[in-house]
Amino acid sequence: MKKINVLLLLLLTSTMLYAQSSRQSKKEEKEEKRLRKISLFREIEEGDNLFNREFSGGARLNTDGWTGFLEMGFRKNASFVNYFQFEFSEKRDPKQDRASRVLNSQMGYTISTTPFVYGKKNNFYQAKLGVGQKYLIGGKGNKNGVEVNAIYYGGLAFGLMKPYYLDLMNDSGDPNNRRTVKYSEDIREDFLNRDLIYGAGGFTKGWSELKLNPGLHAKVGFRFDWAKFNEVVSALEVGINAEYYTKKVEIMVDDAGKSFFFNAYVGIQLGKRWNK
């Protein structure tokens, strides 16, 4: 009987020791996993960018207009990100300038005309689709650093030519008697007569008369990401852009038009990164 009790005591003791050892082992394993997660989090947030997806949008000021865009990126490896981009832009001719007039009415009060661009023939918009790569030049090192990337990108451009309309008064200069017209050779003299121009015909005019002008575009530049954490995109981009269209683009009346455009730009970009 004593032997049985001793054996039971030894078995109970060994079981308790094993359970305690198992609990200790699990506790150490759990703590090790926690430390690994903390280390990975710090590496992601303050060191190398390990996120494999990113989505962002932004705006650019070009030397010949403006651009709005959306971008989706897919990380290829530690140094390269492949990305797709959609852009919508408008080109401005360097000679165009907005103006307005103040007219004296027959009732004794003045009328301010709506702003217009003298000598403008067409608005030229562009919808662009493209694919590019972002190459890491220098990482942040820590959350207060700046990530520097080189970018190169190209694709298809769909130019959209929209007629520019003016409100023209009759020969007597009566602002209550107006016609809304687009440029044609038949009314060239009236279209360029400042004394007859009341103002722009309105943004809604001409959309049903859009003409497509397909082309190609490409750009190179540098992107500087200053976000404190890599899961956020907060970047400034500077670069140069080239576009070629299959038909000449005529923006101003006295302009012969051209197919090739070259500009410089600066842009701001905001978005998010994540792991799929």
Side-chain angles (χ1 to χ4, degrees):
M1 188 66 179
K2 289 183 178 180
K3 289 183 178 180
I4 294 175
N5 290 335
V6 171
L7 287 173
L8 288 174
L9 181 60
L10 290 174
L11 181 61
L12 180 61
T13 304
S14 63
T15 301
M16 291 176 64
L17 290 173
Y18 175 78
Q20 185 177 359
S21 175
S22 178
R23 284 197 299 269
Q24 184 67 24
S25 177
K26 288 181 179 179
K27 185 177 179 181
E28 290 176 354
E29 184 179 351
K30 187 176 180 180
E31 180 65 15
E32 186 178 347
K33 286 182 179 179
R34 189 180 72 85
L35 292 174
R36 280 204 302 268
K37 287 181 179 179
I38 291 174
S39 177
L40 179 61
F41 176 79
R42 284 177 178 170
E43 188 174 7
I44 290 175
E45 293 301 315
E46 298 186 0
D48 294 333
N49 180 1
L50 302 180
F51 293 101
N52 54 32
R53 295 287 188 275
E54 58 182 67
F55 179 78
S56 58
R60 304 189 192 101
L61 285 177
N62 311 319
T63 52
D64 61 358
W66 56 264
T67 298
F69 64 92
L70 296 173
E71 179 181 300
M72 185 71 187
F74 302 86
R75 181 166 294 281
K76 184 178 179 182
N77 52 46
S79 298
F80 288 93
V81 174
N82 296 329
Y83 68 91
F84 300 90
Q85 197 171 95
F86 170 76
E87 304 178 46
F88 189 81
S89 307
E90 182 184 10
K91 290 235 178 288
R92 289 174 53 89
D93 190 279
K95 293 183 292 186
Q96 76 177 60
D97 190 21
R98 293 180 71 84
S100 62
R101 297 175 56 202
V102 177
L103 305 175
N104 292 317
S105 75
Q106 297 176 351
M107 303 295 294
Y109 54 85
T110 59
I111 302 172
S112 295
T113 68
T114 56
F116 64 93
V117 179
Y118 178 75
K120 187 167 186 175
K121 182 177 181 180
N122 294 296
N123 290 102
F124 185 56
Y125 303 101
Q126 311 92 54
K128 304 176 189 175
L129 294 172
V131 60
Q133 272 195 337
K134 182 173 66 173
Y135 172 68
L136 180 66
I137 297 175
K140 292 180 182 178
N142 59 68
K143 66 180 182 179
N144 294 316
V146 176
E147 182 180 286
V148 182
N149 292 275
I151 59 106
Y152 34 92
Y153 165 83
L156 300 175
F158 302 92
L160 303 170
M161 192 78 75
K162 172 179 167 294
Y164 184 73
Y165 277 80
L166 286 178
D167 272 353
L168 298 182
M169 298 179 290
N170 59 20
D171 292 338
S172 65
D174 182 4
N176 296 315
N177 188 359
R178 306 193 304 269
R179 53 189 171 128
T180 303
V181 297
K182 64 180 181 180
Y183 176 81
S184 70
E185 288 296 330
D186 294 337
I187 62 167
R188 176 187 173 89
E189 185 176 341
D190 288 349
F191 199 86
L192 297 178
N193 187 339
R194 290 183 181 270
D195 292 333
L196 299 183
I197 298 174
Y198 180 82
F203 179 75
T204 58
K205 294 287 186 180
W207 288 106
S208 62
E209 304 172 72
L210 284 178
K211 293 182 179 179
L212 179 64
N213 189 354
L216 300 171
H217 71 105
K219 71 175 180 181
V220 293
F222 295 95
R223 187 175 296 174
F224 306 90
D225 193 329
W226 71 85
K228 286 189 175 181
F229 299 108
N230 285 330
E231 65 180 1
V232 178
V233 178
S234 297
L236 177 74
E237 184 176 308
V238 294
I240 54 176
N241 178 74
E243 302 166 44
Y244 177 79
Y245 295 93
T246 55
K247 292 175 283 189
K248 287 188 176 182
V249 177
E250 298 178 357
I251 297 178
M252 306 299 288
V253 170
D254 292 327
D255 207 349
K258 59 182 180 179
S259 296
F260 180 76
F261 294 87
F262 183 81
N263 64 52
Y265 68 86
V266 58
I268 191 77
Q269 189 166 349
L270 304 171
K272 293 284 289 183
R273 296 188 179 97
W274 70 94
N275 282 317
K276 185 176 179 181

